[in-house]
Amino acid sequence: MLDTARNYYGVEDLLRLIAAMSMNKLNVFHWHVTDSHSFPLVVPSEPEMAAKGAYGEGMMYTVADVKKVVEFGLERGVRVVPEIDMPAHTGSWAKAYPEIITCADVFWWPAGASWDDRYAAEPGTGQLNPLHPKTYQVVQNIVHDVASMFPDQFLHAGADEVTPNCWKLDPTIQSFLSKNGTLSQILSTFINSTLPYILSLNRTVVYWEDVLLDAMISVDPSLLPTEHVILQTWNNGPDNTKRIVAAGYRAIVSSSDFYYLDCGHGDFIGNNSEYDQPPGANQTDGGSWCGPFKSWQLIYNYDITYGLSPTEAELVIGGEVALWSEQADSTVLDQRIWPRASAMAETLWSGNRDSSGKKRSAEAVDRLNEWRYRMVTRGVRAEPIQPLWCIKNPGMCNTVQ
């Protein structure tokens, strides 16, 4: 998964990524194309969305761009699955339709407020208002065009990190809550008003796990038919995978503890007291919420069906590494992804154990090291994992000979 909303990537970056994915037998490119920060996708029926929501005129993806990316992927065995994250993560929609967005462009964490009283998970506020009728007209127009541009059977509709206080700022929602309504009912209204339309376009819908598992705002499973809905997990490692498949859903595993490639680079928030510590203080995760850095070894070691019964494991349809782009753009794209994603590819296709059941990490390092150099010669700027001396002296850089 690549997030192209927080920072923009050119089409040539996406094509290079897909080419590298094909080399590594990674067969699904999950394109997180929009978020609160920008709306770079040109939607023909709603042209103002990108015209006003993109970072700039040269930072949009046109219909022709999408066609090029999709066809390039299909020629290389890589599916392209779009994500339009909603109802949260939609602050950029307010540039075109301010009336359907709650808490747009407010400061994300009010001074003196607790974490629970924030307006968003990070800077960049704004959520669709499920009680405003125009919301659904705009959503349907966008979803219709996205389904036309992206032929894949899957359409990712987000549904993660709905923040209570953002909705509570809106007068119509305040009125609803004052009459004993709940925020989960509001989310249910949104899902019930959008999911059937997406299904009518012959799509299987992928949601982030939050829609079912969030402790504060979630929907009843009856609104999420298992035959039409897939859930993508990102929290609590194997525990949430277990909860999803135990409920009968197919799962895509993107556990942030193992598969988030952006983790371990500190935090992008300015004036962060996390760093205001004297020498010798515990640096914890260095300010990164999901630190430490997810090394190739950590990724290689992870079993995405850990703790599942054979029947439950059959519901896990794949694993997916994710690069969120708060601190990434085209200048570091290749290095953040490769060769760590290569390690995941090997484990998911071939496993991480030999025929005797022993972990193959020792032999994998030499293979991965050589493969990294092969990618570099093919124009993929993968980061090194060892000194060149190690590849010229196989086995000499292991802890045990």
Side-chain angles (χ1 to χ4, degrees):
M1 188 222 76
L2 181 66
D3 158 27
T4 64
R6 288 173 175 84
N7 276 316
Y8 175 82
Y9 297 80
V11 172
E12 67 280 0
D13 298 313
L14 304 185
L15 300 183
R16 188 175 68 257
L17 172 60
I18 289 172
M21 289 177 62
S22 182
M23 295 175 203
N24 285 272
K25 296 186 178 180
L26 292 175
N27 62 338
V28 181
F29 171 40
H30 169 183
W31 188 353
H32 183 93
V33 66
T34 67
D35 212 291
S36 277
H37 309 84
S38 75
F39 195 106
L41 184 66
V42 176
V43 179
S45 64
E46 295 287 355
E48 293 294 285
M49 293 295 291
K52 294 181 177 179
Y55 280 133
E57 195 169 323
M59 295 184 173
M60 302 180 192
Y61 303 107
T62 66
V63 173
D65 291 334
V66 171
K67 185 174 188 289
K68 186 174 184 178
V69 170
V70 169
E71 290 183 351
F72 189 87
L74 290 175
E75 291 166 358
R76 288 157 182 80
V78 178
R79 298 163 51 191
V80 181
V81 175
E83 179 185 355
I84 304 297
D85 202 350
M86 54 186 174
H89 294 280
T90 50
S92 59
W93 299 38
K95 305 299 182 184
Y97 292 105
E99 66 273 25
I100 68 172
I101 301 296
T102 65
C103 87
D105 295 325
V106 302
F107 191 77
W108 72 291
W109 192 355
S114 69
W115 175 249
D116 288 341
D117 291 330
R118 69 197 186 281
Y119 294 126
E122 64 179 27
T125 57
Q127 297 179 173
L128 288 169
N129 185 347
L131 302 185
H132 197 297
K134 190 166 185 176
T135 295
Y136 302 107
Q137 175 191 334
V138 176
V139 168
Q140 285 198 11
N141 288 342
I142 292 172
V143 167
H144 177 272
D145 285 1
V146 167
S148 298
M149 289 189 281
F150 294 87
D152 196 85
Q153 181 190 351
F154 288 5
L155 193 152
H156 203 306
D160 62 313
E161 295 188 315
V162 177
T163 306
N165 267 14
C166 181
W167 272 348
K168 289 178 181 179
L169 279 185
D170 181 77
T172 58
I173 291 178
Q174 290 172 7
S175 176
F176 178 84
L177 296 176
S178 72
K179 299 171 185 174
N180 297 319
T182 69
L183 294 176
S184 288
Q185 287 173 340
I186 293 174
L187 179 60
S188 299
T189 295
F190 181 81
I191 296 297
N192 219 17
S193 301
T194 54
L195 177 58
Y197 180 72
I198 304 174
L199 298 182
S200 76
L201 299 175
N202 195 30
R203 293 295 185 271
T204 295
V205 181
V206 184
Y207 291 121
W208 293 104
E209 63 182 17
D210 313 42
V211 71
L212 181 71
L213 302 184
D214 188 82
M216 299 184 68
I217 305 176
S218 59
V219 305
D220 190 271
S222 63
L223 298 182
L224 305 171
T226 56
E227 65 270 28
H228 297 305
V229 171
I230 297 168
L231 296 179
Q232 184 165 2
T233 178
W234 62 285
N235 286 304
N236 300 324
D239 292 344
N240 277 11
T241 306
K242 178 81 171 180
R243 293 175 68 189
I244 289 169
V245 297
Y249 291 95
R250 289 165 286 172
I252 299 169
V253 177
S254 295
S255 302
S256 58
D257 289 343
F258 302 92
Y259 281 175
Y260 270 27
L261 302 179
D262 53 299
C263 298
H265 290 273
D267 191 82
F268 80 101
I269 309 299
N271 195 29
N272 189 344
S273 59
E274 192 77 25
Y275 300 100
D276 187 14
Q277 306 290 343
N282 183 0
Q283 296 184 27
T284 59
D285 292 330
S288 175
W289 75 270
C290 56
F293 181 83
K294 311 308 174 191
S295 67
W296 77 263
Q297 295 96 328
L298 186 70
I299 292 170
Y300 192 85
N301 189 58
Y302 189 46
D303 174 7
I304 64 173
T305 60
Y306 178 83
L308 304 183
S309 70
T311 301
E312 290 172 332
E314 289 180 3
L315 290 173
V316 177
I317 64 171
E320 179 182 295
V321 287
L323 180 60
W324 299 100
S325 293
E326 287 92 343
Q327 295 171 291
D329 62 14
S330 59
T331 63
V332 298
L333 174 64
D334 293 7
Q335 299 94 321
R336 292 284 165 86
I337 295 176
W338 310 110
R340 290 187 291 161
S342 308
M344 183 193 74
E346 176 168 308
T347 60
L348 295 187
W349 282 109
S350 306
N352 56 15
R353 297 178 184 272
D354 62 21
S355 57
S356 68
K358 182 181 178 182
K359 284 283 176 71
R360 293 188 287 130
S361 302
E363 67 171 82
V365 66
D366 290 334
R367 187 167 56 254
L368 185 63
N369 212 349
E370 182 175 342
W371 178 241
R372 178 262 169 182
Y373 280 97
R374 290 178 185 268
M375 285 197 287
V376 170
T377 62
R378 296 178 182 183
V380 179
R381 298 185 292 272
E383 69 178 3
I385 61 170
Q386 285 185 327
L388 180 58
W389 187 88
C390 296
I391 200 171
K392 296 176 81 66
N393 296 271
M396 294 294 284
C397 290
N398 294 330
T399 54
V400 179
Q401 191 168 17

